Amino acid sequence: MLPSYTFDGISFPIVDGQNHDASELRTISCERDVFVLGAPQRRRHENTLFVYKPVYGQTISELPFSHPRQLVAMLPTLRQYAFISRLLARSFGANITGSGLEKLDKSIITREVMTTSAKFKRFVADKEAKRDSEAEKPLTLDVVLSVHPTAGLSIVFPFRDATANIELQVLANGVVNIVSQNILSDELDAAQDISEGPRRKMKPHDLGRLLEVFEDLCQWAEWIRKNLS
């Protein structure tokens, strides 16, 4: 009798000695330092993958065929699961921890007399310090994995003053289909409804195409936060 495997168990094997019931919720967490374009330093990401329903399967090492066209017919499915496996591995395959930040002593209060020019410089410096402080906060990325009726992910991360909620499916040939999202407005502004050129209005399928290029949920989320906020 062949041993039973699950899709998430193949991508993230259960550590020897751990007792895990495949019918129960499984969570996979990791921390990553992600490069952000234009930022002075990498941003810490705290990623969590939730698997609510097990999908049983087996790994295939050999597959007999009688005609090459049978191989061609399998390629779309192979690309589909190769893409989502690579996406999960790049987004959750590392467990990187960093050193903690130094604690500041907030019990010391200082008062000083400043000129208007000095107050303005202090205001600008405080704004920059606040922005840097926000950049240092870890970004939480929560993902729910589903495989039926097709491979899909539900992704939640901070966006603007709320959260981004994106549901997507990975179709044949590794094509990403955005099922629902709340980051692009449905209202068409005639002044911005440009169909061609670098300033054209972004559509949901563009988000899917970007993920196909990034192959990394963290980099994808950072691009969305930087360019669509």
Side-chain angles (χ1 to χ4, degrees), residues 98-148:
S99 57
L101 299 176
E102 296 182 1
K103 294 183 178 180
L104 300 178
D105 186 356
K106 297 183 179 180
S107 63
I108 301 176
I109 302 176
T110 60
R111 292 182 174 88
E112 55 184 328
V113 179
M114 294 185 294
T115 63
T116 302
S117 176
K119 288 182 179 179
F120 177 75
K121 291 180 179 179
R122 172 63 62 84
F123 171 77
V124 173
D126 289 344
K127 292 284 287 185
E128 292 179 350
K130 182 179 180 180
R131 182 185 59 193
D132 293 340
S133 176
E134 290 293 329
E136 291 175 354
K137 290 183 179 179
L139 182 76
T140 58
L141 187 75
D142 295 335
V143 181
V144 177
L145 171 67
S146 60
V147 183
H148 287 308

Side-chain angles (χ1 to χ4, degrees), residues 13-102:
I14 304 294
V15 178
D16 292 338
Q18 286 188 351
N19 294 323
H20 174 70
D21 186 349
S23 63
E24 296 179 350
L25 167 68
R26 186 184 182 195
T27 60
I28 299 166
S29 301
C30 77
E31 293 184 355
R32 292 181 56 196
D33 288 331
V34 179
F35 174 77
V36 181
L37 185 63
Q41 59 187 10
R42 295 174 181 267
R43 189 196 307 275
R44 175 61 53 88
H45 276 223
E46 296 178 351
N47 304 339
T48 305
L49 177 67
F50 299 92
V51 184
Y52 288 99
K53 296 181 179 180
V55 178
Y56 294 97
Q58 297 288 340
T59 56
I60 298 176
S61 57
E62 296 182 3
L63 190 64
F65 63 95
S66 58
H67 194 279
R69 66 184 177 187
Q70 293 176 319
L71 288 177
V72 175
M74 289 189 298
L75 288 178
T77 301
L78 294 177
R79 293 192 186 105
Q80 176 186 16
Y81 283 93
F83 176 81
I84 193 168
S85 297
R86 185 165 59 252
L87 183 64
L88 293 175
R90 295 187 63 173
S91 303
F92 298 92
N95 186 12
I96 305 172
T97 58
S99 57
L101 299 176
E102 296 182 1

